Amino acid sequence: MSVKFRKLALIGIGLIGSSIALAARRQGLAEVIAISTRKAETLEEARELGLGDLYTLDAAEAVRGADLVILCTPVGAYESVMQAIASSLAPGAILSDVGSVKQHVVNVLAPLVPAGVSLIPGHPIAGTEHSGPSAGFAELFAGRWCVLTPGPEVDAAQVEKLVQFWEAMGSHVETMEASHHDMVLAITSHIPHLVAYNIVGTVADLEAATQSEVIKFSASGFRDFTRIAASDPVMWRDVFLTNRDAVLEMLGRFSEDLSVLQRAVRTGDGPALEAMFTRTRAIRRSIISAGQETAAADFGRPHEATPPPTAPVFVREHGGGDDA
Ligand code: NAP
């Protein structure tokens, strides 16, 4: 069975919105793709990239007659976007989103959803540190999980249509409660981002001489943190503002574990350190065998070929005038 929507409306057309537009177009998942965003220059960029069929700065116009509407803006913009579109949502439509937190989304959107519209929040667990319409690519969701958090009142047939939409774009789909999603993502995504922002922020505060050495010698652990810490500041501000409870809960556990490590380092407890690092290595291996990471060394980064050996240099004991 293949799903096809009459009109897909994407509100916000950055990395995730543009990737959905490209993947949905490639898989033939919508007859018409309508795109709306806040800034005229972003809309123009989307038009030049040919991401949709209709382009408008008026979100209400984009959603009119749409049977699938997906909010792809930062979560902090949802309330104002929803106020603008609520009265234009078509009966029978699915209203979804891609936000990285889910309970807050339900709290904000549910009271504004008109009767006859199915609210099915979603979160594709896929992304890069790049933003904007040109950052998107159709393969972004392939092999990645997408979590849907429909409430118990939502018609199962509507959920199934959205599941098929994401599966057609290459995702594996799982449904769960919004609060459970937020707890899981707090530890798998939000805390790692907070740690990365903190490590890179510490370097940013170091005195200039040390900082330049960190950057020069960054082909080690630090470099991989900088990729995460380069993620969109507005999106991540909103994640921490809207998933506060789950983040603080997990941060508490993280701090306790860090104290245990700190103590092991201070007391020179080699067996404790080795036991911990052996357990963490096993976790990475299980992520690789689940197909969620490459097993290639150094995250599969291309490396320059080793330069060919140079001819041996013979040093004259008595310098002559011809090789000066
Ligand atoms: P992005 O590249 O920065 O794009 C955000 C888009 O939203 C832009 O088109 C921006 O357009 C628009 N926008 C911002 N404020 C708006 C407003 N008030 N009204 C209408 N449009 C507005 O962000 P993204 O990475 O695609 O993230 C979008 C959503 O996906 C977020 O909720 C995020 O939590 C979620 N998500 C992100 C990732 C990731 O790795 N990046 C992964 C999974 C989920 P203008 O230029 O017109 O302002």
Side-chain angles (χ1 to χ4, degrees):
M1 186 169 52
S2 67
V3 68
K4 185 160 191 163
F5 289 92
R6 218 170 37 251
K7 182 180 178 187
L8 162 65
L10 298 170
I11 313 300
I13 193 71
L15 167 71
I16 303 294
S18 61
S19 297
I20 294 175
L22 292 167
R25 168 65 47 84
R26 192 167 76 176
Q27 300 305 122
L29 301 176
E31 279 165 35
V32 172
I33 300 177
I35 289 173
S36 181
T37 192
R38 178 179 52 172
K39 295 185 190 150
E41 60 265 34
T42 309
L43 194 65
E44 201 41 47
E45 198 181 337
R47 194 197 304 269
E48 278 165 19
L49 290 163
L51 295 174
D53 305 296
L54 300 171
Y55 301 89
T56 173
L57 290 173
D58 180 358
E61 186 188 330
V63 307
R64 222 161 273 139
D67 44 356
L68 176 58
V69 175
I70 308 182
L71 308 187
C72 305
T73 68
V75 171
Y78 280 18
E79 193 164 0
S80 64
V81 168
M82 191 58 191
Q83 274 157 357
I85 63 173
S87 62
S88 302
L89 290 168
I94 294 173
L95 172 64
S96 191
D97 81 308
V98 293
S100 307
V101 301
K102 295 274 62 87
Q103 188 58 57
H104 172 85
V105 165
V106 173
N107 298 347
V108 167
L109 296 186
L112 299 169
V113 176
V117 171
S118 305
L119 173 63
I120 310 176
H123 177 204
I125 303 176
T128 74
E129 66 279 26
H130 300 297
S131 307
S134 57
F137 52 100
E139 302 77 19
L140 179 64
F141 310 113
R144 301 281 162 222
W145 285 93
C146 178
V147 175
L148 301 181
T149 64
E153 75 290 353
V154 179
D155 180 1
Q158 295 284 71
V159 177
E160 183 53 28
K161 272 205 262 178
L162 194 58
V163 168
Q164 285 182 24
F165 177 81
W166 280 103
E167 285 181 347
M169 293 194 293
S171 287
H172 311 298
V173 182
E174 189 147 316
T175 57
M176 63 178 71
E177 281 189 12
S179 56
H180 184 68
H181 164 278
D182 289 355
M183 198 55 93
V184 172
L185 268 289
I187 194 61
T188 58
S189 171
H190 306 168
I191 299 291
H193 275 78
L194 204 65
V195 170
Y197 282 125
N198 192 46
I199 288 183
V200 179
T202 302
V203 167
D205 292 341
L206 288 176
E207 60 279 16
T210 319
Q211 196 188 97
S212 73
E213 280 199 319
V214 174
I215 289 165
K216 180 171 159 191
F217 298 121
S218 69
S220 58
F222 179 70
R223 181 184 58 184
D224 294 323
F225 281 110
T226 61
R227 186 190 68 75
I228 300 176
S231 300
D232 189 69
V234 173
M235 168 189 154
W236 283 96
R237 177 202 65 191
D238 288 354
V239 166
F240 293 110
L241 291 178
T242 56
N243 197 23
R244 188 175 49 192
D245 292 348
V247 166
L248 290 178
E249 162 73 23
M250 287 300 171
L251 201 54
R253 296 174 73 135
F254 175 84
S255 306
E256 285 170 22
D257 292 342
L258 192 60
S259 301
V260 171
L261 273 181
Q262 185 178 11
R263 185 180 163 78
V265 170
R266 187 161 43 77
T267 59
D269 189 346
L273 292 171
E274 194 178 335
M276 164 78 159
F277 303 160
T278 304
R279 277 198 293 137
T280 56
R281 189 175 233 201
I283 294 223
R284 175 156 177 85
R285 288 189 178 142
S286 57
I287 292 171
I288 291 166
S289 50
Q292 297 297 309
E293 177 58 290
T294 173
D298 202 13
F299 297 96
R301 288 189 180 97
H303 287 269
E304 283 176 31
T306 314
T310 47
V313 178
F314 297 103
V315 180
R316 287 195 193 177
E317 282 188 4
H318 307 288
D322 54 336
D323 57 353

